[in-house]
Amino acid sequence: MSTSQRFGSAAVEQAEAVLVEHYPRLVRLAYLTLPDPLGRHTRVLLAHKAVQRALPRPGTPAGPAPDDGVPDTADPHLTLVRTRVLRAALAPSGATGTRGAVGAVRARLGRPPAPPFVWGLRLWPPAGGIDEAAQALGGLGAAVRAAFVLHRLDDLAPDEAVRLLGRAGAADPAGAVREALALPVGEELLRALRRPEFDASVVSARPTDLLRRRRRARACWAGLGALALTAGVLSVRAVPPDPDMRPAAGPAAAGVLDPARLQRVSSEAWADTARVDFTAWPARGARTGDRALLARALGTWAAPGRVPVTATPGTTAEPPARPPQLLYAGEADGRAVVFLRDGDRVVRYTEAAAGSGGRTLDITRTDDAGVTTAAALTLSRTADGASARYLLAPWIATAATRDLLRTDDGGRPLAVAADGVTAPAAVPPAGAGCTAWPVLELTSSARIVEKHSFVLTDLAAPSPAHLTYTPLPDGPDAPARQPREVTGPEARAAWAPLACGLGALRSGGYRAVNVWDFAAAQLPDGAGRAVWSCTRASGWTGPGDVEVRLRVGAAAPQEVARARSTAACGRFGQHLLAGFRWRSPAGRWYLLAAGSRHVTGIAADGAVRTDTAGRTLAAPWTGPDGPVSLRGSLDGGGTVTALDGAGGGRD
């Protein structure tokens, strides 16, 4: 097709019929491709906007057909619409960083304003639906997410997906498809993703603040009336305005800022619900009836001014759109503290108990929090930072503290008041020295789950992080091991040498940290048995930061590789390969490498050239230091490349 050809009315009508027929699938493609940091409301609207604007207008230039030698077997009208959807949802190749990608997509879809418009409602996908898939794929690039949808959900052949992504302007379509092909997604999950609830065109809706809208409407009509009156007066007599006269400021978000409208949950709601998270927390504390304190907390959130505000990565500080839920209002260590929940955010407001000075505001995300990740909030810290008090969930029966560095530490009971506030507990050291790593060990009430204990650690965020451990696999044919609590001897032994490394995760906004022992082998020159582990710190938004280490006996773990904002070592990154140059106690150098349970062979190229069957490799490094590329073969076909500072590569 030449560049002079244009879409005729018949072609546009056929494209419209295809768009209507495949609308849910196209919205799913757009939603999962759009950048992660977009809020769910914005992401839903932009996904629908991308699909609706994919319909060309009559007379629009058709553009040249790509000459890549691949036969176009798909419906040309469906290919056209998919291409235009992807072109709108993918960030341009020149956009760098999260803000650049988000800004580029907003520029494509948000300006000039185009339907659909939504006033007075907030939209989001239903819980457990496509939003769960979006979070699981959050650590991958936009083109990889698009390739996953095209191949795994829309059943396009790999070459067709490459061709489509190339048409849409993806920087490396072939690489994106290779990485999507290597994602370890089971058939059960794929069937679940095709169910109706995994449909981005199905949304939940809630109103924004109704009283605020009513007041704004009244203010608007009053303003229009005043404008008309002013115009009439000026038409008779042009009088300069009085510089001292100023219109009164409207009561912005007055309904949201009214303490009387705060949502409060009954004290027994947690024991009679299937959703055990922050939504089930009752309002606790001695000052829940202090309207002045609550008003200051709400007002500071809406207009912080010079009040210092901290927000965990990926968390917006914008005021709530509807009255938030009150979790706590009370005093601790000379400070008044208020906790509020707004959707997937929890806000901590503090001020001096005597007066209202020294205000602070901290905001954290709580997406998909549960029994463990909604079990505690950091209430206050001492001035020297050596200890803290925590506000525990109503379903916590007992609390204790213990040292994660000591595998034999049986723990010490931690007193908890009737309102859920703990006695002061030691916190992990912030300095260079690390002689102890205090953690909380909490036990849930039998009304929730019987004999369930778990461990949380304070990483200087309002919400402590949940620690878990995944033991070595039983073999390639055995089911994958699931993360378990850090309460048994094996889990404690694995965490003890790694605990001090948690200091690097402070203030990173992590919900959970898991240590996965994925391989073990005897080292050469009698160095002993080594265990390969991957520590994954998962953020609330989905992506996580990982670090692979080698543990040998009581020696300090050696860092092998690390990556940021990746799916590696998680649910969608179960294939792993890592390696590094290692010096034995005898002074000889070796290339060591290990893969996860589905790796059946490892090959090295570069400064060391070798290959071996199995999941581990130890080859003499006789030449000079230099780059080495590693590639692992998978038992189901395909390969996995080594994790490095840029993330895990898959072909």
Side-chain angles (χ1 to χ4, degrees):
M1 181 181 290
S2 68
T3 57
S4 62
Q5 289 183 297
R6 297 177 180 273
F7 291 108
S9 298
V12 172
E13 290 177 0
Q14 289 176 308
E16 180 187 22
V18 168
L19 187 149
V20 172
E21 178 185 357
H22 296 277
Y23 190 83
R25 298 170 66 184
L26 294 169
V27 171
R28 177 178 65 189
L29 174 63
Y31 187 89
L32 292 176
T33 303
L34 285 166
D36 301 328
L38 290 170
R40 292 185 295 177
H41 174 83
T42 302
R43 202 170 181 180
V44 166
L45 286 180
L46 291 183
H48 284 269
K49 190 172 292 188
V51 175
Q52 294 177 19
R53 295 181 70 177
L55 185 67
R57 297 178 182 274
T60 302
D67 184 17
D68 51 14
V70 180
D72 202 347
T73 59
D75 180 347
H77 300 97
L78 179 56
T79 299
L80 163 69
V81 175
R82 276 177 171 153
T83 302
R84 291 172 66 91
V85 168
L86 285 171
R87 193 173 295 146
L90 288 169
S93 58
T96 59
T98 299
R99 292 185 178 180
V102 171
V105 171
R106 284 185 180 273
R108 285 182 171 186
L109 294 173
R111 294 186 292 269
F117 299 115
V118 174
W119 286 279
L121 288 175
R122 300 291 296 178
L123 306 179
W124 68 90
I130 194 173
D131 200 43
E132 180 179 336
Q135 292 184 19
L137 297 173
L140 305 172
V144 179
R145 297 196 301 269
F148 173 84
V149 177
L150 292 173
H151 176 62
R152 297 296 187 92
L153 302 182
D154 291 343
D155 299 321
L156 267 67
D159 58 347
E160 291 177 326
V162 170
R163 180 179 174 88
L164 194 60
L165 288 170
R167 285 176 169 176
D172 182 15
V177 171
R178 285 197 302 270
E179 189 166 350
L181 286 171
L183 290 176
V185 182
E187 289 301 320
E188 181 179 350
L189 178 59
L190 290 176
R191 287 194 295 270
L193 288 171
R194 293 187 175 99
R195 292 200 302 261
E197 58 265 32
F198 283 85
D199 184 350
S201 64
V202 176
V203 297
S204 297
R206 291 290 186 274
T208 55
D209 185 55
L210 300 177
L211 287 179
R212 178 178 60 181
R213 286 159 47 192
R214 183 178 298 173
R215 291 188 180 98
R216 284 182 172 178
R218 290 173 179 171
C220 179
W221 284 111
L224 289 175
L227 181 62
L229 178 61
T230 302
V233 171
L234 290 179
S235 66
V236 177
R237 179 183 179 185
V239 179
D242 186 344
D244 294 328
M245 296 297 292
R246 296 289 186 270
V256 174
L257 303 183
D258 184 358
R261 300 193 62 211
L262 286 171
Q263 301 177 42
R264 299 172 187 247
V265 175
S266 68
S267 60
E268 290 295 309
W270 63 272
D272 193 27
T273 179
R275 183 176 178 181
V276 185
D277 56 15
F278 287 112
T279 62
W281 276 43
R284 292 174 291 173
R287 299 183 66 174
T288 54
D290 190 337
R291 289 179 57 89
L293 171 63
L294 299 178
R296 288 193 297 272
L298 291 166
T300 302
W301 189 0
R306 295 184 179 181
V307 174
V309 179
T310 62
T312 54
T315 309
T316 174
E318 65 183 15
R322 60 180 181 271
Q325 175 188 349
L326 176 62
L327 304 180
Y328 178 84
E331 294 184 9
D333 301 320
R335 304 284 295 174
V337 184
V338 177
F339 275 112
L340 301 167
R341 184 192 70 85
D342 174 54
D344 291 334
R345 298 181 297 167
V346 166
V347 171
R348 180 181 61 196
Y349 168 83
T350 71
E351 65 179 31
S356 59
R359 303 181 186 184
T360 65
L361 195 70
D362 303 287
I363 308 173
T364 185
R365 292 186 71 136
T366 59
D367 308 55
D368 299 321
V371 173
T372 56
T373 49
L377 292 170
T378 305
L379 188 68
S380 65
R381 302 181 191 278
T382 56
D384 60 2
S387 63
R389 294 181 188 267
Y390 300 93
L391 178 64
L392 303 185
W395 56 82
I396 297 302
T398 62
T401 62
R402 62 178 173 86
D403 186 357
L404 196 60
L405 297 185
R406 294 174 52 198
T407 59
D408 59 347
D409 187 1
R412 291 151 297 283
L414 181 64
V416 183
D419 60 357
V421 177
T422 70
V427 300
C434 181
T435 58
W437 194 272
V439 293
L440 294 175
E441 184 167 325
L442 307 179
T443 302
S444 299
S445 167
R447 299 168 69 181
I448 294 295
V449 58
E450 187 176 1
K451 297 180 180 179
H452 178 216
S453 297
F454 52 94
V455 171
L456 303 180
T457 188
D458 192 330
L459 296 179
S463 177
H466 180 209
L467 302 184
T468 55
Y469 167 69
T470 305
L472 284 165
D474 291 330
D477 299 327
R481 306 291 289 270
Q482 298 301 312
R484 58 185 63 179
E485 305 300 346
V486 188
T487 54
E490 187 180 8
R492 291 188 184 191
W495 261 107
L498 303 174
C500 289
L502 289 168
L505 303 178
R506 278 190 175 85
S507 303
Y510 300 104
R511 62 179 297 174
V513 186
N514 180 61
V515 169
W516 171 32
D517 287 347
F518 65 91
Q522 291 293 329
L523 296 179
D525 295 344
R529 182 176 183 266
V531 176
W532 296 74
S533 66
C534 180
T535 302
R536 176 179 174 84
S538 298
W540 290 100
T541 57
D545 300 335
V546 304
E547 183 173 2
V548 175
R549 297 183 179 97
L550 186 75
R551 306 197 311 268
V552 183
Q558 299 181 58
E559 180 180 329
V560 177
R562 63 171 59 200
R564 295 182 59 83
S565 296
T566 177
C569 304
R571 180 181 178 187
F572 284 87
Q574 298 178 17
H575 295 327
L576 179 65
L577 177 65
F580 75 128
R581 190 170 184 248
W582 174 80
R583 189 174 186 178
S584 76
R588 286 186 282 268
W589 290 98
Y590 291 87
L591 169 64
L592 300 183
S596 51
R597 67 193 187 99
H598 288 296
V599 173
T600 58
I602 301 174
D605 195 11
V608 177
R609 295 174 178 270
T610 187
D611 62 83
T612 185
R615 300 197 296 116
T616 60
L617 178 147
W621 195 309
T622 56
D625 191 7
V628 173
S629 62
L630 294 171
R631 186 176 300 272
S633 303
L634 301 175
D635 56 7
T639 58
V640 57
T641 55
L643 182 80
D644 55 26
R650 301 174 181 85
D651 293 326

